[in-house]
Amino acid sequence: MSDELERRDGLDRRDELTERFARLGDRPAVIDKGRTHSYGDLARAIRTTADRLRERGVAPHEAVVLNSDFSFGSIATLLALYLNRNVVVPLVAFTEGALRTINDSCAPRHLVKVADDGSELLVEPMTAAGPGAEPGAEPGAESAAATPEAYRPLVEAGAAGLVLLSSGSTGAPKAILHNLDTLVAEKAGSGDRVGSRTTNILMFLLFDHIGGINSLLGVFKVSGTAVLPARRTPEEICALIEEHGIRLLPTSPTFLNLILIGDYHRKHDLSSLRMISYGTEPMPEELLRRLHTALPRARLLQTFGTSETGISATTSESSESTYFRISDENVQYRIVDGELQLKSRTQFMGYLNYPDDSLTEDGWFRTGDLVEEKEDGFLKVKGRAKEVINVGGEKVLPLELESILLGSPLIDDCVVYGRPNSITGQSVCVDIKPSGAMTRAEARRHVHEFLEGKVEPFKLPAKVNLVEELRVSDRFKKQRIRA
């Protein structure tokens, strides 16, 4: 098959998604700031935006930074860039580290910003000097010399690409390159699961996060409706669940605990929820028990995935268990020295700015997650290998202590982490958000008394801090790595 025929075949496959949206017509696709956009609206917006991009010199396979969070316009633009076979770099917020990584590693040619409703599209040239600078070659010039070597397999396959940035909590963000055609084919599917009742799914996870992309493609797979929040606060999210009868909420354990602490599950009617999928960090067993008691009608599902391998389909042992099984025919797993390793069909193509030392010689991705496995194949995440606290040669898993401490009626939330210690190497520290008034001395005494007899003495925190709020990332994960 000639290169031209391969390109046409790839375009036809991508255009099938837009054709499917057009066939769904008036079925609601996106609810954004109270306005409902149909699948027909989305199909038209994708095609109109694709035409605008080409008119403004955005050539296939060029890297494009899409600066936006979820909106109807950003979703249409993402899919227009997919249709145009671009390498998309979604970015919710420009930070110094993210901008440096993108400029140094992604060879960005354009910066795209879009109005929420898709009515306006701003396309600026973007080079190492930053957005707005004149590029080294004419915009729209699709030349082999201008294509980074890392993108060459995408060009040869006639495929679109996706670059996701890691959180960068321990250094410069990693630029993670994916084949976007593969992700869409695997996660959006054929869309043949069309029922008479639409499934409203809340887009809680960010637009530039693998979980957010997975949630969006999952909406398309079931021909559901993506409900977009203006703000990700417990009040806003619970109000949207009540208003739109949300059936599926993908989120994190930390955010779910914020809902419980603020009593938002009682202030709003959350009875429409049929599933809460949680990931991005391990779930403390005590928190899961609290959630099951507070939201008994919702099935609680442990999800698992990484930015490098995509999100795997999983099955929880039950809504009261932190054990889960990877039930995805496209994902293989193995456990080596207690660490979970994955190999998937949606596996990344490589890092643009780091060596691929997270891959084994035979192509398995080292997740960095420590797990235990039961005889029936159910897994349980015990914590991150890099977060293990070494106290004089003894290992302490933060999740173990947090799960126990959350059983105290005097503690709303907590985070356990290690700090350097000149004698033992590291010491155990804990930040406590109390449920009521408490002095630091009272908090230390209560923590030690509550843990006594439940853990070995070396696991007792050497330092107990009282905090009004825990430190969490913009992805609502507890921050345990301290500078």
XYZ file of all heavy atoms in Angstrom, residues 344-419:
599
model
N 0.951 -3.330 27.886
C -0.387 -3.090 27.361
C -0.343 -2.683 25.895
O 0.686 -2.245 25.388
C -1.090 -1.985 28.164
O -0.532 -0.718 27.865
N -1.501 -2.812 25.249
C -1.622 -2.393 23.860
C -1.616 -0.872 23.731
O -1.341 -0.343 22.656
C -2.901 -2.960 23.239
C -2.831 -4.460 22.991
C -4.075 -4.988 22.315
N -4.280 -4.364 20.998
C -5.266 -4.693 20.159
N -6.131 -5.649 20.513
N -5.395 -4.097 19.005
N -1.936 -0.184 24.814
C -1.909 1.276 24.792
C -0.627 1.812 25.430
O -0.590 2.955 25.902
C -3.135 1.851 25.527
O -3.196 1.297 26.849
C -4.417 1.526 24.785
N 0.421 1.006 25.429
C 1.684 1.405 26.047
C 2.308 2.575 25.289
O 2.184 2.693 24.072
C 2.651 0.216 26.052
C 3.843 0.393 26.977
C 4.159 -0.889 27.724
O 3.268 -1.488 28.325
N 5.392 -1.320 27.675
N 2.962 3.447 26.039
C 3.567 4.630 25.434
C 4.686 4.254 24.469
O 5.244 3.168 24.512
C 4.076 5.583 26.508
C 5.319 5.142 27.255
C 6.327 6.048 27.547
C 5.487 3.844 27.694
C 7.460 5.670 28.254
C 6.618 3.448 28.398
C 7.612 4.373 28.674
N 4.998 5.190 23.587
C 6.049 4.980 22.596
C 7.421 5.299 23.171
O 8.440 4.882 22.623
C 5.776 5.854 21.370
C 4.460 5.534 20.673
S 4.055 6.725 19.381
C 5.399 6.436 18.224
N 7.445 6.054 24.267
C 8.711 6.398 24.908
C 8.642 7.782 25.520
O 7.687 8.529 25.334
N 9.682 8.109 26.300
C 9.809 9.455 26.845
C 10.553 10.325 25.838
O 11.490 9.867 25.179
C 10.592 9.441 28.156
C 9.930 8.671 29.279
C 10.550 7.555 29.833
C 8.707 9.064 29.800
C 9.969 6.843 30.868
C 8.112 8.367 30.839
C 8.752 7.257 31.367
O 8.156 6.556 32.393
N 10.158 11.580 25.746
C 10.849 12.508 24.855
C 12.044 13.159 25.530
O 12.893 13.734 24.850
C 9.879 13.600 24.380
C 8.671 13.121 23.562
C 7.783 14.315 23.199
C 9.116 12.385 22.315
N 12.103 13.083 26.852
C 13.158 13.801 27.573
C 13.831 12.978 28.667
O 14.606 13.517 29.457
C 12.592 15.081 28.185
C 11.463 14.816 29.177
O 10.823 13.764 29.141
N 11.222 15.752 30.073
N 13.535 11.693 28.748
C 14.154 10.822 29.746
C 14.530 9.503 29.076
O 13.864 9.089 28.119
C 13.179 10.515 30.904
C 13.121 11.542 31.996
C 12.333 12.687 31.864
C 13.845 11.378 33.177
C 12.260 13.630 32.872
C 13.771 12.328 34.196
C 12.981 13.448 34.028
O 12.927 14.387 35.041
N 15.551 8.831 29.581
C 15.807 7.472 29.081
C 14.677 6.536 29.489
O 14.023 6.758 30.515
C 17.132 7.089 29.769
C 17.212 7.965 30.982
C 16.530 9.251 30.604
N 14.434 5.524 28.690
C 13.337 4.596 28.972
C 13.773 3.504 29.952
O 13.531 2.310 29.736
C 12.836 3.958 27.668
C 12.173 4.973 26.753
O 11.760 6.017 27.252
O 12.096 4.711 25.541
N 14.388 3.916 31.073
C 14.878 2.918 32.026
C 13.758 2.356 32.894
O 13.993 1.458 33.705
C 15.996 3.491 32.901
C 15.608 4.798 33.578
O 14.414 5.175 33.520
O 16.491 5.436 34.166
N 12.538 2.874 32.738
C 11.400 2.278 33.437
C 10.903 1.030 32.718
O 10.041 0.318 33.239
C 10.259 3.283 33.564
O 9.833 3.703 32.287
N 11.449 0.771 31.535
C 11.099 -0.437 30.787
C 12.166 -1.495 30.999
O 13.368 -1.208 30.986
C 10.980 -0.128 29.287
C 9.802 0.738 28.850
C 9.905 1.041 27.364
C 8.479 0.040 29.147
N 11.721 -2.732 31.199
C 12.668 -3.840 31.297
C 13.174 -4.180 29.900
O 12.647 -3.712 28.890
C 11.993 -5.071 31.908
O 10.954 -5.522 31.017
C 11.382 -4.746 33.259
N 14.195 -5.011 29.834
C 14.753 -5.391 28.541
C 13.730 -6.090 27.665
O 13.787 -6.008 26.432
C 15.981 -6.293 28.740
C 17.179 -5.567 29.340
C 18.394 -6.466 29.439
O 18.291 -7.647 29.024
O 19.441 -5.999 29.922
N 12.767 -6.782 28.287
C 11.751 -7.479 27.494
C 10.447 -6.667 27.370
O 9.394 -7.211 27.039
C 11.460 -8.869 28.072
C 11.138 -8.853 29.557
O 11.324 -7.794 30.188
O 10.698 -9.884 30.079
N 10.517 -5.345 27.646
C 9.411 -4.459 27.308
C 8.325 -4.277 28.344
O 7.266 -3.722 28.040
N 8.546 -4.702 29.582
C 7.556 -4.494 30.637
C 7.814 -3.165 31.325
O 8.957 -2.771 31.562
C 7.625 -5.620 31.668
C 7.154 -6.939 31.153
C 7.841 -7.811 30.363
C 5.880 -7.539 31.389
N 7.081 -8.915 30.090
C 5.863 -8.780 30.705
C 4.750 -7.167 32.113
C 4.769 -9.638 30.730
C 3.657 -8.005 32.135
C 3.674 -9.226 31.454
N 6.709 -2.465 31.671
C 6.824 -1.180 32.342
C 6.809 -1.377 33.851
O 5.901 -2.001 34.403
C 5.675 -0.247 31.942
C 5.697 1.070 32.665
C 6.671 2.016 32.382
C 4.765 1.354 33.652
C 6.708 3.217 33.063
C 4.790 2.554 34.340
C 5.773 3.495 34.039
N 7.835 -0.843 34.510
C 7.908 -0.898 35.976
C 7.048 0.229 36.542
O 7.390 1.403 36.421
C 9.353 -0.728 36.446
C 10.333 -1.775 35.922
C 11.703 -1.545 36.548
N 12.695 -2.495 36.103
C 13.591 -2.269 35.143
N 13.609 -1.093 34.523
N 14.462 -3.194 34.800
N 5.947 -0.119 37.187
C 5.013 0.902 37.664
C 5.511 1.649 38.892
O 5.076 2.763 39.165
C 3.651 0.277 38.003
O 3.813 -0.614 39.114
C 3.071 -0.462 36.797
N 6.386 1.007 39.676
C 6.805 1.610 40.940
C 5.828 1.357 42.069
O 6.033 1.808 43.197
N 4.732 0.621 41.781
C 3.732 0.314 42.803
C 4.028 -1.048 43.436
O 4.228 -2.042 42.732
C 2.332 0.287 42.188
C 1.817 1.668 41.879
O 1.602 2.443 42.829
O 1.651 1.988 40.685
N 4.037 -1.079 44.765
C 4.237 -2.315 45.498
C 2.880 -2.968 45.737
O 1.942 -2.306 46.218
C 4.928 -2.035 46.831
C 6.289 -1.337 46.727
C 6.835 -1.016 48.114
C 7.286 -2.184 45.937
N 2.755 -4.234 45.387
C 1.456 -4.914 45.496
C 1.629 -6.267 46.162
O 2.731 -6.823 46.231
C 0.792 -5.108 44.111
C 0.545 -3.773 43.433
C 1.633 -6.009 43.218
N 0.514 -6.783 46.661
C 0.461 -8.177 47.097
C -0.641 -8.854 46.300
O -1.618 -8.206 45.894
C 0.199 -8.288 48.590
C -1.133 -7.739 49.055
C -1.324 -7.890 50.552
O -0.406 -7.549 51.314
O -2.417 -8.344 50.957
N -0.498 -10.147 46.058
C -1.467 -10.870 45.240
C -1.986 -12.077 45.997
O -1.221 -12.829 46.599
C -0.820 -11.330 43.931
C -1.791 -12.048 42.985
C -1.138 -12.408 41.657
O 0.102 -12.497 41.610
O -1.872 -12.596 40.672
N -3.308 -12.239 45.971
C -3.908 -13.422 46.583
C -3.921 -14.563 45.571
O -3.695 -14.367 44.374
C -5.332 -13.109 47.039
C -5.407 -12.012 48.102
C -6.699 -12.058 48.892
C -7.929 -11.855 48.059
N -9.165 -11.803 48.885
N -4.227 -15.752 46.057
C -4.221 -16.931 45.185
C -5.230 -16.826 44.053
O -5.034 -17.394 42.984
C -4.494 -18.195 46.006
C -3.371 -18.565 46.966
C -3.670 -19.845 47.715
O -4.763 -20.427 47.497
O -2.822 -20.269 48.530
N -6.309 -16.081 44.277
C -7.345 -15.961 43.245
C -7.041 -14.863 42.228
O -7.876 -14.537 41.377
C -8.713 -15.720 43.874
C -8.732 -14.499 44.799
O -7.738 -13.750 44.823
O -9.746 -14.299 45.499
N -5.856 -14.259 42.316
C -5.460 -13.261 41.334
C -5.813 -11.830 41.682
O -5.497 -10.911 40.913
N -6.459 -11.611 42.823
C -6.777 -10.243 43.219
C -5.539 -9.563 43.801
O -4.777 -10.172 44.555
C -7.917 -10.216 44.235
C -9.282 -10.333 43.603
C -9.895 -11.572 43.480
C -9.926 -9.210 43.105
C -11.148 -11.689 42.889
C -11.184 -9.313 42.519
C -11.791 -10.555 42.404
N -5.362 -8.294 43.424
C -4.187 -7.525 43.817
C -4.577 -6.435 44.812
O -5.720 -5.957 44.813
C -3.544 -6.859 42.596
C -3.184 -7.752 41.412
C -2.768 -6.896 40.224
C -2.081 -8.712 41.788
N -3.601 -6.023 45.595
C -3.796 -4.910 46.515
C -2.559 -4.027 46.474
O -1.441 -4.508 46.644
C -4.028 -5.418 47.941
C -4.184 -4.318 48.991
C -4.406 -4.944 50.357
C -4.547 -3.903 51.437
N -4.801 -4.505 52.754
N -2.764 -2.722 46.228
C -1.643 -1.779 46.202
C -1.264 -1.413 47.632
O -2.098 -0.961 48.414
C -2.006 -0.511 45.410
C -0.847 0.476 45.440
C -2.370 -0.859 43.969
N -0.001 -1.607 47.968
C 0.482 -1.316 49.314
C 1.130 0.059 49.407
O 1.301 0.605 50.497
C 1.484 -2.388 49.734
C 0.876 -3.798 49.773
C 1.935 -4.869 49.919
C 2.652 -4.773 51.238
N 3.657 -5.880 51.386
N 1.507 0.602 48.247
C 2.124 1.929 48.241
C 3.137 2.048 47.123
O 3.375 1.104 46.368
N 3.719 3.248 47.019
C 4.743 3.505 46.009
C 6.112 3.162 46.568
O 6.427 3.480 47.722
C 4.721 4.984 45.606
C 3.430 5.465 44.995
C 3.310 5.025 43.562
N 4.301 5.678 42.717
C 4.593 5.263 41.483
N 4.004 4.191 40.982
N 5.496 5.896 40.754
N 6.937 2.533 45.753
C 8.267 2.143 46.200
C 9.082 3.360 46.638
O 9.817 3.309 47.636
C 8.989 1.394 45.075
N 8.917 4.491 45.921
C 9.713 5.676 46.253
C 9.235 6.363 47.529
O 9.916 7.252 48.042
C 9.685 6.663 45.088
C 8.322 7.269 44.798
C 8.377 8.193 43.593
C 7.024 8.810 43.289
N 7.068 9.662 42.081
N 8.059 5.962 48.037
C 7.528 6.584 49.247
C 7.767 5.745 50.502
O 7.399 6.159 51.601
C 6.026 6.849 49.085
C 5.711 7.888 48.006
C 4.238 8.009 47.710
O 3.453 7.187 48.257
O 3.849 8.899 46.940
N 8.370 4.566 50.340
C 8.672 3.718 51.492
C 9.666 4.440 52.403
O 10.661 5.010 51.942
C 9.241 2.365 51.040
C 9.736 1.560 52.246
C 8.201 1.568 50.272
N 9.385 4.447 53.692
C 10.247 5.115 54.672
C 11.187 4.079 55.278
O 10.742 3.041 55.777
C 9.396 5.779 55.775
C 8.355 6.715 55.143
C 10.285 6.554 56.748
C 7.282 7.176 56.123
N 12.493 4.363 55.229
C 13.509 3.435 55.747
C 13.993 3.950 57.100
O 14.718 4.937 57.190
C 14.678 3.353 54.756
C 15.647 2.234 55.102
O 15.815 1.891 56.271
N 16.289 1.679 54.094
N 13.553 3.251 58.168
C 13.925 3.644 59.530
C 14.947 2.635 60.052
O 14.589 1.548 60.507
C 12.693 3.691 60.461
C 13.106 4.147 61.868
C 11.628 4.611 59.896
N 16.205 2.988 59.933
C 17.270 2.096 60.414
C 17.230 0.720 59.771
O 17.489 -0.278 60.446
N 16.872 0.667 58.506
C 16.806 -0.613 57.800
C 15.436 -1.260 57.825
O 15.181 -2.219 57.104
N 14.521 -0.754 58.635
C 13.158 -1.263 58.690
C 12.270 -0.447 57.744
O 12.379 0.777 57.683
C 12.606 -1.186 60.117
C 13.391 -1.986 61.145
C 13.113 -3.479 61.056
O 12.310 -3.891 60.201
O 13.698 -4.229 61.867
N 11.387 -1.130 57.023
C 10.556 -0.458 56.024
C 9.176 -0.101 56.594
O 8.532 -0.926 57.255
C 10.376 -1.355 54.797
C 11.698 -1.771 54.133
C 12.428 -0.567 53.562
C 13.589 -0.983 52.675
N 14.691 -1.626 53.414
N 8.750 1.130 56.312
C 7.439 1.605 56.748
C 6.656 2.053 55.515
O 7.134 2.881 54.734
C 7.556 2.790 57.736
C 6.160 3.262 58.170
C 8.402 2.407 58.940
N 5.460 1.501 55.341
C 4.585 1.887 54.240
C 3.591 2.928 54.751
O 2.798 2.648 55.659
C 3.833 0.677 53.694
C 4.705 -0.357 52.961
C 3.949 -1.661 52.786
C 5.129 0.189 51.612
N 3.614 4.166 54.213
C 2.709 5.214 54.704
C 1.247 4.797 54.714
O 0.503 5.148 55.635
C 2.960 6.368 53.725
C 4.376 6.168 53.263
C 4.542 4.673 53.168
N 0.811 4.068 53.687
C -0.595 3.710 53.582
C -1.065 2.886 54.781
O -2.205 3.031 55.237
C -0.846 2.932 52.293
C -2.295 2.550 52.010
C -3.153 3.798 51.833
C -2.398 1.657 50.780
N -0.195 2.040 55.314
C -0.575 1.212 56.463
C -0.950 2.082 57.650
O -2.002 1.876 58.293
C 0.579 0.279 56.846
C 0.281 -0.569 58.085
C 1.500 -1.307 58.615
O 2.606 -1.109 58.056
O 1.339 -2.070 59.592
N -0.119 3.077 57.959
C -0.391 3.943 59.101
C -1.609 4.822 58.840
O -2.435 5.048 59.742
C 0.827 4.815 59.402
C 2.111 4.091 59.831
C 3.184 5.097 60.216
C 1.852 3.133 60.983
N -1.737 5.348 57.624
C -2.884 6.209 57.317
C -4.197 5.446 57.452
O -5.187 5.979 57.967
C -2.731 6.767 55.906
C -1.613 7.790 55.773
C -1.359 8.216 54.341
O -2.176 7.875 53.457
O -0.337 8.884 54.101
N -4.208 4.206 56.996
C -5.430 3.409 57.083
C -5.851 3.199 58.527
O -7.046 3.234 58.853
C -5.221 2.050 56.397
O -5.032 2.209 55.007
N -4.885 2.996 59.411
C -5.207 2.795 60.822
C -5.670 4.101 61.464
O -6.689 4.153 62.161
C -3.982 2.229 61.582
C -3.615 0.837 61.046
C -4.268 2.166 63.087
C -2.311 0.294 61.597
N -4.934 5.184 61.204
C -5.251 6.461 61.844
C -6.615 7.002 61.426
O -7.287 7.681 62.208
C -4.152 7.490 61.529
C -2.810 7.241 62.223
C -1.744 8.200 61.691
C -2.951 7.386 63.735
N -7.048 6.697 60.198
C -8.362 7.155 59.758
C -9.493 6.454 60.515
O -10.651 6.872 60.423
C -8.528 6.941 58.249
C -7.782 7.939 57.365
C -7.939 7.571 55.902
C -8.269 9.365 57.605
N -9.153 5.425 61.267
C -10.142 4.757 62.111
C -10.433 5.523 63.388
O -11.369 5.191 64.116
N -9.648 6.573 63.646
C -9.871 7.378 64.846
C -10.965 8.406 64.587
O -10.918 9.132 63.588
C -8.581 8.106 65.246
O -8.867 9.141 66.173
N -11.933 8.533 65.486
C -12.983 9.552 65.322
C -12.447 10.975 65.502
O -13.146 11.936 65.179
C -13.992 9.201 66.412
C -13.202 8.471 67.442
C -12.147 7.709 66.686
N -11.228 11.099 65.994
C -10.645 12.427 66.216
C -9.834 12.916 65.023
O -9.320 14.039 65.040
C -9.742 12.407 67.460
C -10.385 11.960 68.775
C -9.379 12.079 69.917
C -11.628 12.768 69.071
N -9.711 12.062 63.987
C -8.875 12.407 62.826
C -9.716 12.377 61.557
O -10.278 11.341 61.198
C -7.684 11.437 62.701
C -6.771 11.556 63.925
C -6.896 11.701 61.416
C -5.649 10.536 63.961
N -9.809 13.519 60.878
C -10.522 13.585 59.599
C -9.668 13.048 58.462
O -10.161 12.358 57.572
C -10.920 15.036 59.284
C -12.235 15.438 59.937
O -12.978 14.531 60.366
O -12.511 16.644 60.024
N -8.393 13.410 58.476
C -7.498 12.961 57.408
C -6.072 13.078 57.900
O -5.780 13.768 58.891
C -7.692 13.800 56.134
C -7.334 13.026 54.874
O -6.799 11.905 54.987
O -7.610 13.542 53.776
N -5.169 12.410 57.185
C -3.759 12.452 57.573
C -2.900 12.046 56.384
O -3.376 11.426 55.438
C -3.484 11.528 58.760
S -3.825 9.787 58.425
N -1.634 12.407 56.440
C -0.672 11.969 55.431
C 0.631 11.643 56.144
O 1.108 12.403 56.986
C -0.460 13.038 54.338
C 0.062 14.344 54.909
C 0.484 12.514 53.263
N 1.173 10.469 55.843
C 2.408 9.982 56.461
C 3.528 10.079 55.435
O 3.349 9.746 54.255
C 2.234 8.526 56.942
C 3.557 7.970 57.470
C 1.160 8.449 58.020
N 4.699 10.523 55.873
C 5.838 10.682 54.969
C 7.134 10.571 55.771
O 7.128 10.600 57.013
C 5.772 12.022 54.235
C 5.667 13.218 55.147
C 6.789 13.952 55.532
C 4.428 13.615 55.665
C 6.681 15.047 56.375
C 4.313 14.700 56.508
C 5.449 15.418 56.869
O 5.351 16.494 57.715
N 8.235 10.438 55.072
C 9.524 10.325 55.723
C 10.345 11.591 55.598
O 10.234 12.316 54.616
N 11.178 11.850 56.622
C 12.125 12.963 56.578
C 13.501 12.444 56.957
O 13.627 11.486 57.728
C 11.704 14.075 57.553
C 10.402 14.764 57.219
C 10.408 15.431 55.855
N 11.381 16.492 55.731
C 11.110 17.787 55.927
N 9.891 18.150 56.289
N 12.036 18.694 55.747
